[in-house]
Coordinates of all heavy atoms in Angstrom, one line a residue:
M30 N 29.0 -9.9 -17.5 CA 29.4 -11.3 -17.3 C 28.2 -12.1 -16.9 O 28.0 -13.2 -17.3 CB 30.6 -11.3 -16.4 CG 31.2 -12.7 -16.3 SD 32.0 -13.1 -17.8 CE 32.9 -14.5 -17.3
K31 N 27.5 -11.6 -15.9 CA 26.3 -12.4 -15.4 C 25.3 -12.6 -16.4 O 24.7 -13.6 -16.5 CB 25.7 -11.7 -14.1 CG 26.6 -11.8 -12.9 CD 25.9 -11.1 -11.7 CE 26.8 -11.2 -10.5 NZ 26.1 -10.5 -9.4
A32 N 25.1 -11.6 -17.3 CA 24.1 -11.7 -18.4 C 24.5 -12.8 -19.4 O 23.7 -13.5 -19.8 CB 23.9 -10.3 -19.1
L33 N 25.8 -12.8 -19.7 CA 26.3 -13.8 -20.6 C 26.1 -15.2 -20.0 O 25.7 -16.1 -20.7 CB 27.8 -13.6 -20.9 CG 28.5 -14.5 -21.9 CD1 27.7 -14.4 -23.3 CD2 29.9 -14.1 -22.1
L34 N 26.4 -15.4 -18.7 CA 26.2 -16.6 -18.1 C 24.7 -17.0 -18.1 O 24.4 -18.2 -18.3 CB 26.7 -16.6 -16.6 CG 26.6 -17.9 -15.8 CD1 27.4 -19.0 -16.5 CD2 27.1 -17.6 -14.4
A35 N 23.8 -16.1 -17.9 CA 22.4 -16.4 -17.9 C 22.0 -16.8 -19.2 O 21.2 -17.8 -19.4 CB 21.6 -15.1 -17.4
V36 N 22.4 -16.2 -20.3 CA 22.1 -16.6 -21.7 C 22.6 -18.0 -21.9 O 21.9 -18.8 -22.5 CB 22.7 -15.6 -22.7 CG1 22.6 -16.1 -24.1 CG2 22.0 -14.2 -22.6
F37 N 23.8 -18.3 -21.5 CA 24.4 -19.6 -21.7 C 23.5 -20.7 -21.0 O 23.2 -21.7 -21.6 CB 25.8 -19.7 -21.2 CG 26.4 -21.1 -21.3 CD1 26.8 -21.6 -22.6 CD2 26.5 -21.9 -20.2 CE1 27.3 -22.9 -22.7 CE2 27.1 -23.1 -20.3 CZ 27.5 -23.6 -21.5
V38 N 23.1 -20.4 -19.8 CA 22.3 -21.4 -19.0 C 21.0 -21.6 -19.7 O 20.5 -22.7 -19.8 CB 22.2 -20.9 -17.6 CG1 21.1 -21.7 -16.8 CG2 23.5 -21.0 -16.8
L39 N 20.4 -20.6 -20.2 CA 19.1 -20.7 -20.9 C 19.2 -21.5 -22.2 O 18.4 -22.3 -22.5 CB 18.5 -19.3 -21.2 CG 17.9 -18.5 -20.0 CD1 17.5 -17.1 -20.4 CD2 16.7 -19.3 -19.4
L40 N 20.2 -21.2 -22.9 CA 20.5 -22.0 -24.2 C 20.8 -23.4 -23.9 O 20.3 -24.3 -24.6 CB 21.6 -21.3 -25.0 CG 21.2 -20.0 -25.7 CD1 22.4 -19.4 -26.3 CD2 20.1 -20.1 -26.6
A41 N 21.6 -23.7 -22.9 CA 22.0 -25.0 -22.6 C 20.8 -25.8 -22.1 O 20.6 -27.0 -22.4 CB 23.1 -25.1 -21.5
G42 N 19.9 -25.2 -21.4 CA 18.7 -25.9 -20.9 C 17.7 -26.2 -22.1 O 16.9 -27.1 -21.9
S43 N 17.8 -25.5 -23.2 CA 16.9 -25.8 -24.3 C 17.4 -26.8 -25.3 O 16.7 -27.2 -26.2 CB 16.5 -24.5 -25.0 OG 17.7 -24.0 -25.7
V44 N 18.6 -27.3 -25.1 CA 19.2 -28.2 -26.0 C 18.6 -29.6 -25.6 O 18.6 -30.0 -24.5 CB 20.7 -28.3 -25.9 CG1 21.3 -29.4 -26.7 CG2 21.3 -26.9 -26.3
S45 N 18.1 -30.3 -26.6 CA 17.6 -31.7 -26.4 C 18.6 -32.7 -26.8 O 19.3 -32.5 -27.7 CB 16.3 -31.9 -27.1 OG 16.5 -31.9 -28.5
F46 N 18.7 -33.8 -26.0 CA 19.6 -34.9 -26.3 C 18.8 -36.0 -26.9 O 18.2 -36.8 -26.2 CB 20.3 -35.3 -25.0 CG 21.2 -34.2 -24.5 CD1 20.8 -33.3 -23.5 CD2 22.5 -34.0 -25.0 CE1 21.5 -32.3 -23.0 CE2 23.3 -33.0 -24.5 CZ 22.8 -32.2 -23.5
A47 N 18.8 -36.1 -28.2 CA 18.0 -37.1 -28.9 C 18.9 -38.4 -29.0 O 20.1 -38.4 -29.0 CB 17.7 -36.7 -30.3
G48 N 18.2 -39.5 -29.0 CA 18.9 -40.8 -29.1 C 19.3 -41.0 -30.6 O 19.0 -40.1 -31.4
P49 N 19.9 -42.1 -30.9 CA 20.3 -42.4 -32.2 C 19.2 -42.6 -33.2 O 18.0 -42.8 -32.8 CB 21.2 -43.6 -32.1 CG 20.6 -44.3 -30.9 CD 20.2 -43.2 -30.0
D50 N 19.4 -42.4 -34.5 CA 18.5 -42.7 -35.5 C 18.6 -44.1 -36.0 O 19.6 -44.4 -36.7 CB 18.7 -41.6 -36.6 CG 17.6 -41.7 -37.6 OD1 16.5 -42.1 -37.3 OD2 17.8 -41.2 -38.8
C51 N 17.8 -45.0 -35.6 CA 18.0 -46.4 -35.8 C 17.4 -46.9 -37.2 O 17.9 -47.8 -37.8 CB 17.4 -47.2 -34.7 SG 18.2 -46.9 -33.1
T52 N 16.3 -46.3 -37.6 CA 15.7 -46.8 -38.9 C 14.7 -45.7 -39.4 O 14.2 -44.9 -38.6 CB 14.9 -48.1 -38.7 OG1 14.5 -48.6 -40.0 CG2 13.7 -48.0 -37.8
K53 N 14.5 -45.8 -40.7 CA 13.5 -44.9 -41.3 C 12.3 -45.8 -41.7 O 11.3 -45.3 -42.2 CB 14.1 -44.2 -42.5 CG 15.3 -43.4 -42.2 CD 15.1 -41.9 -42.5 CE 16.3 -41.1 -42.3 NZ 16.5 -40.6 -41.0
E54 N 12.3 -47.1 -41.5 CA 11.3 -48.0 -41.9 C 10.0 -47.8 -41.0 O 10.1 -47.5 -39.9 CB 11.7 -49.5 -41.7 CG 12.9 -49.8 -42.7 CD 12.4 -50.0 -44.1 OE1 11.2 -50.2 -44.4 OE2 13.3 -50.0 -45.0
A55 N 8.9 -48.1 -41.6 CA 7.6 -48.0 -40.9 C 7.5 -49.1 -39.8 O 8.2 -50.1 -40.0 CB 6.4 -48.1 -41.9
K56 N 6.7 -48.9 -38.8 CA 6.7 -49.8 -37.7 C 6.2 -51.2 -38.1 O 6.5 -52.2 -37.5 CB 5.8 -49.3 -36.6 CG 6.5 -48.2 -35.8 CD 5.9 -48.0 -34.4 CE 6.7 -47.0 -33.7 NZ 6.4 -46.9 -32.3
D57 N 5.4 -51.3 -39.2 CA 4.9 -52.6 -39.7 C 6.1 -53.5 -40.3 O 5.9 -54.6 -40.5 CB 3.8 -52.5 -40.7 CG 4.2 -51.8 -42.0 OD1 5.2 -51.2 -42.1 OD2 3.3 -51.9 -42.9
K58 N 7.2 -52.9 -40.5 CA 8.4 -53.6 -40.9 C 9.3 -54.0 -39.8 O 10.3 -54.8 -39.9 CB 9.3 -52.7 -41.9 CG 8.5 -52.2 -43.0 CD 8.5 -53.1 -44.1 CE 7.9 -52.4 -45.4 NZ 7.5 -53.3 -46.4
W59 N 9.0 -53.6 -38.5 CA 9.8 -53.8 -37.4 C 9.6 -55.3 -36.9 O 8.6 -55.9 -37.1 CB 9.4 -52.9 -36.2 CG 9.8 -51.5 -36.4 CD1 10.1 -50.8 -37.5 CD2 9.9 -50.5 -35.3 NE1 10.4 -49.5 -37.2 CE2 10.3 -49.3 -35.9 CE3 9.8 -50.6 -33.9 CZ2 10.5 -48.2 -35.1 CZ3 9.9 -49.5 -33.2 CH2 10.3 -48.2 -33.8
M60 N 10.7 -55.8 -36.3 CA 10.6 -57.1 -35.7 C 9.7 -57.0 -34.5 O 9.7 -55.9 -33.8 CB 12.1 -57.5 -35.2 CG 12.3 -58.8 -34.7 SD 14.0 -59.1 -34.2 CE 15.0 -58.6 -35.6
S61 N 9.0 -58.0 -34.1 CA 8.2 -57.9 -32.9 C 9.0 -57.8 -31.7 O 10.2 -58.2 -31.7 CB 7.3 -59.2 -32.8 OG 8.1 -60.3 -32.4
E62 N 8.5 -57.2 -30.6 CA 9.2 -57.0 -29.4 C 9.6 -58.4 -28.8 O 10.7 -58.5 -28.3 CB 8.4 -56.2 -28.4 CG 8.3 -54.8 -28.7 CD 7.6 -54.0 -27.6 OE1 7.5 -54.4 -26.5 OE2 7.2 -52.8 -27.9
A63 N 8.7 -59.4 -28.9 CA 9.0 -60.7 -28.4 C 10.2 -61.3 -29.1 O 11.1 -61.9 -28.5 CB 7.8 -61.6 -28.5
K64 N 10.2 -61.2 -30.5 CA 11.3 -61.8 -31.2 C 12.6 -61.0 -30.9 O 13.7 -61.6 -30.8 CB 11.0 -61.7 -32.7 CG 12.0 -62.4 -33.6 CD 11.6 -62.4 -35.0 CE 12.6 -63.2 -35.9 NZ 12.2 -63.2 -37.3
M65 N 12.6 -59.7 -30.8 CA 13.7 -58.9 -30.5 C 14.3 -59.3 -29.1 O 15.5 -59.5 -29.0 CB 13.4 -57.4 -30.5 CG 14.6 -56.5 -30.4 SD 15.6 -56.6 -31.9 CE 17.1 -56.0 -31.2
K66 N 13.4 -59.4 -28.1 CA 13.9 -59.8 -26.8 C 14.5 -61.2 -26.8 O 15.6 -61.4 -26.2 CB 12.7 -59.8 -25.8 CG 12.2 -58.5 -25.4 CD 11.0 -58.6 -24.5 CE 10.4 -57.3 -24.2 NZ 9.2 -57.4 -23.4
E67 N 14.0 -62.1 -27.6 CA 14.5 -63.5 -27.7 C 15.9 -63.4 -28.3 O 16.8 -64.1 -27.8 CB 13.6 -64.3 -28.6 CG 14.0 -65.7 -28.7 CD 13.0 -66.5 -29.6 OE1 11.8 -66.4 -29.4 OE2 13.5 -67.2 -30.5
M68 N 16.1 -62.6 -29.3 CA 17.4 -62.5 -30.0 C 18.4 -61.9 -29.0 O 19.5 -62.4 -28.9 CB 17.3 -61.6 -31.2 CG 18.6 -61.5 -32.0 SD 18.5 -60.3 -33.3 CE 19.0 -58.8 -32.4
I69 N 18.0 -60.9 -28.3 CA 19.0 -60.3 -27.3 C 19.4 -61.2 -26.2 O 20.5 -61.4 -25.9 CB 18.3 -59.0 -26.7 CG1 18.1 -57.9 -27.8 CG2 19.1 -58.5 -25.5 CD1 17.2 -56.8 -27.4
L70 N 18.4 -62.0 -25.7 CA 18.7 -63.0 -24.6 C 19.6 -64.1 -25.1 O 20.4 -64.6 -24.4 CB 17.4 -63.5 -24.1 CG 16.5 -62.5 -23.3 CD1 15.1 -63.1 -23.0 CD2 17.2 -62.1 -22.0
S71 N 19.4 -64.5 -26.4 CA 20.2 -65.5 -27.0 C 21.7 -65.1 -27.1 O 22.5 -66.0 -27.3 CB 19.6 -66.0 -28.3 OG 19.9 -65.0 -29.3
Q72 N 21.9 -63.8 -27.1 CA 23.3 -63.3 -27.2 C 23.9 -63.2 -25.8 O 25.1 -62.7 -25.7 CB 23.3 -61.9 -27.9 CG 22.9 -62.0 -29.4 CD 22.7 -60.7 -30.0 OE1 22.7 -59.6 -29.4 NE2 22.4 -60.7 -31.3
G73 N 23.2 -63.6 -24.8 CA 23.8 -63.6 -23.5 C 23.5 -62.4 -22.6 O 24.0 -62.2 -21.5
Y74 N 22.7 -61.5 -23.1 CA 22.3 -60.3 -22.3 C 21.2 -60.6 -21.4 O 20.4 -61.5 -21.6 CB 21.9 -59.1 -23.2 CG 23.0 -58.6 -24.1 CD1 23.2 -59.0 -25.4 CD2 23.9 -57.6 -23.5 CE1 24.2 -58.5 -26.2 CE2 24.9 -57.1 -24.3 CZ 25.1 -57.5 -25.6 OH 26.1 -57.0 -26.4
K75 N 21.2 -59.9 -20.2 CA 20.1 -59.9 -19.3 C 19.4 -58.6 -19.4 O 20.0 -57.5 -19.3 CB 20.6 -60.2 -17.9 CG 21.1 -61.6 -17.7 CD 21.6 -61.9 -16.3 CE 22.2 -63.3 -16.2 NZ 22.7 -63.5 -14.9
I76 N 18.1 -58.6 -19.6 CA 17.3 -57.4 -19.8 C 16.7 -56.9 -18.5 O 15.9 -57.7 -18.0 CB 16.3 -57.6 -20.9 CG1 17.0 -58.0 -22.2 CG2 15.5 -56.3 -21.1 CD1 16.0 -58.4 -23.3
K77 N 17.0 -55.7 -18.1 CA 16.2 -55.1 -17.0 C 15.0 -54.3 -17.5 O 13.9 -54.5 -17.0 CB 17.1 -54.2 -16.2 CG 16.4 -53.6 -15.0 CD 17.4 -52.7 -14.2 CE 16.6 -52.1 -13.0 NZ 17.5 -51.2 -12.2
I78 N 15.3 -53.5 -18.5 CA 14.3 -52.7 -19.1 C 14.4 -52.8 -20.6 O 15.5 -52.7 -21.2 CB 14.4 -51.2 -18.8 CG1 14.3 -51.0 -17.3 CG2 13.4 -50.3 -19.5 CD1 14.6 -49.6 -16.8
F79 N 13.2 -53.1 -21.3 CA 13.2 -53.1 -22.7 C 12.1 -52.1 -23.1 O 11.0 -52.1 -22.6 CB 12.7 -54.5 -23.2 CG 12.6 -54.6 -24.7 CD1 13.6 -55.1 -25.5 CD2 11.4 -54.1 -25.4 CE1 13.5 -55.2 -26.9 CE2 11.3 -54.2 -26.7 CZ 12.3 -54.7 -27.5
K80 N 12.4 -51.2 -24.1 CA 11.5 -50.2 -24.5 C 11.7 -49.7 -25.9 O 12.7 -50.0 -26.5 CB 11.5 -49.0 -23.5 CG 12.8 -48.1 -23.5 CD 12.7 -47.0 -22.5 CE 13.9 -46.1 -22.7 NZ 13.7 -44.9 -21.9
T81 N 10.7 -49.0 -26.4 CA 10.8 -48.4 -27.7 C 11.2 -46.9 -27.4 O 10.6 -46.2 -26.7 CB 9.5 -48.4 -28.5 OG1 9.1 -49.8 -28.7 CG2 9.6 -47.7 -29.8
A82 N 12.3 -46.5 -28.0 CA 12.8 -45.2 -27.8 C 12.9 -44.5 -29.2 O 13.9 -44.8 -30.0 CB 14.2 -45.2 -27.1
G83 N 12.0 -43.7 -29.6 CA 12.0 -43.1 -30.9 C 11.8 -44.1 -31.9 O 10.8 -44.9 -31.9
N84 N 12.8 -44.3 -32.8 CA 12.7 -45.3 -33.9 C 13.7 -46.4 -33.6 O 14.2 -47.0 -34.5 CB 12.9 -44.7 -35.2 CG 14.2 -44.0 -35.4 OD1 15.0 -43.9 -34.5 ND2 14.5 -43.5 -36.6
C85 N 13.9 -46.7 -32.3 CA 14.8 -47.8 -31.9 C 14.1 -48.7 -30.8 O 13.2 -48.2 -30.1 CB 16.0 -47.2 -31.2 SG 17.0 -46.0 -32.1
Y86 N 14.7 -49.9 -30.7 CA 14.4 -50.7 -29.5 C 15.6 -50.4 -28.6 O 16.8 -50.3 -29.1 CB 14.3 -52.2 -29.8 CG 13.0 -52.6 -30.4 CD1 13.0 -53.7 -31.3 CD2 11.8 -52.1 -30.0 CE1 11.8 -54.1 -31.8 CE2 10.6 -52.5 -30.5 CZ 10.6 -53.5 -31.5 OH 9.4 -54.0 -32.0
E87 N 15.4 -50.2 -27.3 CA 16.4 -49.9 -26.4 C 16.3 -50.8 -25.2 O 15.3 -51.1 -24.7 CB 16.3 -48.5 -25.9 CG 17.4 -48.0 -24.9 CD 17.2 -46.6 -24.4 OE1 16.1 -46.0 -24.7 OE2 18.1 -46.1 -23.8
I88 N 17.5 -51.3 -24.7 CA 17.5 -52.1 -23.4 C 18.5 -51.4 -22.4 O 19.5 -50.8 -22.8 CB 17.9 -53.6 -23.6 CG1 19.4 -53.7 -24.1 CG2 17.0 -54.3 -24.6 CD1 20.0 -55.0 -23.7
Y89 N 18.2 -51.7 -21.2 CA 19.1 -51.5 -20.1 C 19.2 -52.8 -19.4 O 18.2 -53.5 -19.2 CB 18.5 -50.5 -19.1 CG 18.4 -49.1 -19.6 CD1 17.2 -48.7 -20.3 CD2 19.4 -48.2 -19.4 CE1 17.1 -47.4 -20.7 CE2 19.3 -46.9 -19.9 CZ 18.1 -46.5 -20.6 OH 18.0 -45.2 -21.1
G90 N 20.4 -53.2 -19.2 CA 20.6 -54.6 -18.6 C 22.1 -54.8 -18.4 O 22.9 -53.9 -18.1
W91 N 22.5 -56.1 -18.6 CA 23.9 -56.6 -18.3 C 24.3 -57.5 -19.5 O 23.5 -58.2 -20.0 CB 23.9 -57.4 -17.0 CG 23.5 -56.6 -15.8 CD1 24.4 -55.8 -15.0 CD2 22.2 -56.3 -15.3 NE1 23.7 -55.2 -14.1 CE2 22.3 -55.5 -14.2 CE3 21.0 -56.8 -15.7 CZ2 21.3 -55.1 -13.5 CZ3 19.9 -56.4 -14.9 CH2 20.0 -55.5 -13.8
D92 N 25.6 -57.4 -19.8 CA 26.2 -58.3 -20.8 C 26.6 -59.6 -20.1 O 26.4 -59.8 -18.9 CB 27.4 -57.6 -21.5 CG 28.6 -57.3 -20.6 OD1 28.7 -57.8 -19.5 OD2 29.5 -56.6 -21.1
K93 N 27.3 -60.5 -20.9 CA 27.7 -61.8 -20.4 C 28.7 -61.7 -19.2 O 28.7 -62.6 -18.4 CB 28.5 -62.5 -21.6 CG 27.6 -62.9 -22.7 CD 28.4 -63.6 -23.8 CE 27.7 -63.6 -25.1 NZ 28.5 -64.2 -26.2
E94 N 29.5 -60.6 -19.2 CA 30.4 -60.4 -18.1 C 29.8 -59.7 -16.9 O 30.5 -59.5 -15.9 CB 31.6 -59.6 -18.6 CG 32.5 -60.4 -19.6 CD 32.0 -60.3 -21.0 OE1 31.4 -59.3 -21.4 OE2 32.1 -61.3 -21.7
G95 N 28.5 -59.4 -16.9 CA 27.9 -58.8 -15.8 C 28.0 -57.3 -15.8 O 27.6 -56.6 -14.8
K96 N 28.5 -56.7 -16.9 CA 28.7 -55.2 -16.9 C 27.4 -54.6 -17.4 O 26.7 -55.1 -18.3 CB 29.8 -54.8 -17.9 CG 31.2 -55.3 -17.5 CD 32.2 -54.8 -18.4 CE 33.6 -55.3 -18.0 NZ 34.6 -55.1 -18.9
K97 N 27.0 -53.5 -16.8 CA 25.8 -52.8 -17.2 C 25.9 -52.2 -18.6 O 27.0 -51.8 -19.0 CB 25.5 -51.6 -16.2 CG 25.1 -52.0 -14.8 CD 24.7 -50.8 -14.0 CE 24.2 -51.3 -12.7 NZ 23.8 -50.1 -11.8
V98 N 24.8 -52.3 -19.3 CA 24.8 -51.8 -20.7 C 23.5 -51.1 -21.0 O 22.5 -51.3 -20.4 CB 24.9 -53.0 -21.7 CG1 26.3 -53.6 -21.7 CG2 23.8 -54.0 -21.6
E99 N 23.6 -50.2 -21.9 CA 22.5 -49.5 -22.5 C 22.7 -49.6 -24.0 O 23.7 -49.2 -24.5 CB 22.4 -48.0 -22.1 CG 21.4 -47.2 -22.8 CD 21.5 -45.7 -22.6 OE1 22.5 -45.2 -22.1 OE2 20.5 -45.1 -23.0
I100 N 21.8 -50.3 -24.7 CA 22.0 -50.6 -26.1 C 20.7 -50.2 -26.9 O 19.6 -50.5 -26.5 CB 22.2 -52.1 -26.4 CG1 23.4 -52.6 -25.5 CG2 22.6 -52.3 -27.8 CD1 23.6 -54.1 -25.5
Y101 N 21.0 -49.5 -28.0 CA 20.0 -49.1 -29.0 C 20.1 -50.0 -30.2 O 21.2 -50.2 -30.7 CB 20.1 -47.7 -29.5 CG 19.9 -46.6 -28.4 CD1 20.9 -46.2 -27.5 CD2 18.6 -46.0 -28.3 CE1 20.6 -45.2 -26.6 CE2 18.4 -45.0 -27.4 CZ 19.4 -44.7 -26.5 OH 19.2 -43.7 -25.6
Y102 N 19.0 -50.6 -30.6 CA 18.9 -51.6 -31.7 C 18.1 -51.1 -32.8 O 17.1 -50.4 -32.6 CB 18.3 -52.9 -31.2 CG 19.1 -53.7 -30.3 CD1 18.9 -53.5 -28.9 CD2 20.1 -54.6 -30.7 CE1 19.6 -54.3 -28.0 CE2 20.8 -55.3 -29.8 CZ 20.6 -55.2 -28.4 OH 21.3 -55.9 -27.5
N103 N 18.5 -51.4 -34.1 CA 17.7 -51.2 -35.2 C 16.5 -52.2 -35.1 O 16.8 -53.4 -35.0 CB 18.5 -51.5 -36.5 CG 17.7 -51.3 -37.7 OD1 16.5 -51.8 -37.8 ND2 18.2 -50.7 -38.7
P104 N 15.3 -51.8 -35.0 CA 14.2 -52.7 -34.8 C 13.8 -53.5 -36.0 O 13.0 -54.5 -35.9 CB 13.0 -51.8 -34.4 CG 13.3 -50.5 -35.1 CD 14.8 -50.4 -35.1
V105 N 14.4 -53.2 -37.2 CA 14.1 -54.0 -38.4 C 15.0 -55.2 -38.5 O 14.5 -56.3 -38.7 CB 14.2 -53.1 -39.6 CG1 14.0 -53.9 -40.9 CG2 13.3 -51.9 -39.6
D106 N 16.3 -55.0 -38.3 CA 17.2 -56.2 -38.4 C 17.9 -56.6 -37.2 O 18.7 -57.5 -37.1 CB 18.2 -55.9 -39.5 CG 19.1 -54.7 -39.2 OD1 19.2 -54.2 -38.0 OD2 19.8 -54.2 -40.1
G107 N 17.7 -55.9 -36.1 CA 18.3 -56.2 -34.8 C 19.7 -55.8 -34.6 O 20.4 -56.2 -33.6
S108 N 20.3 -55.0 -35.5 CA 21.7 -54.6 -35.4 C 21.8 -53.6 -34.3 O 20.9 -52.8 -34.0 CB 22.2 -54.1 -36.7 OG 21.5 -53.0 -37.1
V109 N 23.0 -53.6 -33.7 CA 23.3 -52.6 -32.6 C 23.6 -51.3 -33.3 O 24.5 -51.2 -34.2 CB 24.5 -53.1 -31.7 CG1 24.9 -52.0 -30.8 CG2 24.1 -54.3 -31.0
V110 N 23.0 -50.2 -32.9 CA 23.2 -48.9 -33.4 C 24.1 -48.1 -32.5 O 25.0 -47.4 -32.9 CB 21.9 -48.1 -33.7 CG1 22.1 -46.7 -34.1 CG2 21.0 -48.9 -34.6
K111 N 23.9 -48.2 -31.2 CA 24.7 -47.5 -30.2 C 24.7 -48.4 -28.9 O 23.7 -48.9 -28.5 CB 24.1 -46.2 -29.9 CG 24.9 -45.3 -28.9 CD 24.3 -44.0 -28.7 CE 25.1 -43.2 -27.7 NZ 24.4 -41.9 -27.4
E112 N 25.9 -48.4 -28.3 CA 26.0 -49.2 -27.1 C 26.9 -48.4 -26.1 O 27.9 -47.9 -26.4 CB 26.7 -50.6 -27.4 CG 26.9 -51.4 -26.2 CD 27.4 -52.8 -26.5 OE1 27.7 -53.1 -27.7 OE2 27.6 -53.6 -25.6
N113 N 26.4 -48.4 -24.8 CA 27.1 -47.7 -23.7 C 27.3 -48.8 -22.7 O 26.3 -49.3 -22.2 CB 26.3 -46.6 -23.1 CG 26.1 -45.4 -24.1 OD1 27.0 -45.1 -24.8 ND2 24.9 -44.9 -24.2
K114 N 28.5 -49.0 -22.3 CA 28.8 -49.9 -21.2 C 29.2 -49.1 -20.0 O 29.9 -48.1 -20.1 CB 30.0 -50.9 -21.5 CG 29.6 -51.9 -22.6 CD 30.6 -53.0 -22.7 CE 30.1 -54.1 -23.6 NZ 30.9 -55.3 -23.6
K115 N 28.8 -49.5 -18.8 CA 29.0 -48.7 -17.6 C 29.9 -49.5 -16.7 O 30.0 -50.7 -16.7 CB 27.7 -48.4 -17.0 CG 26.9 -47.5 -18.0 CD 25.5 -47.3 -17.4 CE 24.7 -46.5 -18.5 NZ 23.4 -46.2 -18.2

């Protein structure tokens, strides 16, 4: 039983949690970070952290109601790919 548990723990530790797949387009097709931030702010979000995560733009911040959000955006067209509200 202990051996089975040890194998499970080792396998679980090696699993990686990748973010969403936002685009397959080359980076020269991406919207500039400044333009993306401007678009997000115009939608009423407040940005605490803005970063590139894999092939996505990602923010941590707050929505219009003051709820914490984590949002992944398609960097080409600015569409929301995944959103987590906290």
Side-chain angles (χ1 to χ4, degrees):
M30 186 68 165
K31 287 182 182 180
L33 183 59
L34 181 59
V36 169
F37 177 76
V38 169
L39 287 173
L40 289 175
S43 67
V44 175
S45 65
F46 295 96
D50 189 21
C51 297
T52 187
K53 301 240 186 275
E54 295 286 342
K56 286 198 174 191
D57 65 345
K58 305 276 187 194
W59 290 20
M60 189 182 309
S61 71
E62 288 187 15
K64 186 173 181 183
M65 187 70 204
K66 287 177 187 178
E67 182 180 313
M68 187 188 86
I69 294 167
L70 292 171
S71 74
Q72 295 172 353
Y74 292 97
K75 293 182 181 175
I76 301 170
K77 179 178 180 182
I78 298 172
F79 179 97
K80 66 181 188 173
T81 301
N84 59 0
C85 304
Y86 282 146
E87 180 183 11
I88 68 155
Y89 293 89
W91 297 269
D92 66 10
K93 294 178 196 175
E94 291 80 38
K96 294 181 182 172
K97 288 184 177 181
V98 294
E99 174 188 12
I100 307 173
Y101 292 86
Y102 292 92
N103 179 316
V105 177
D106 63 14
S108 61
V109 173
V110 175
K111 182 178 177 183
E112 181 175 359
N113 297 315
K114 290 193 177 191
K115 300 173 182 181

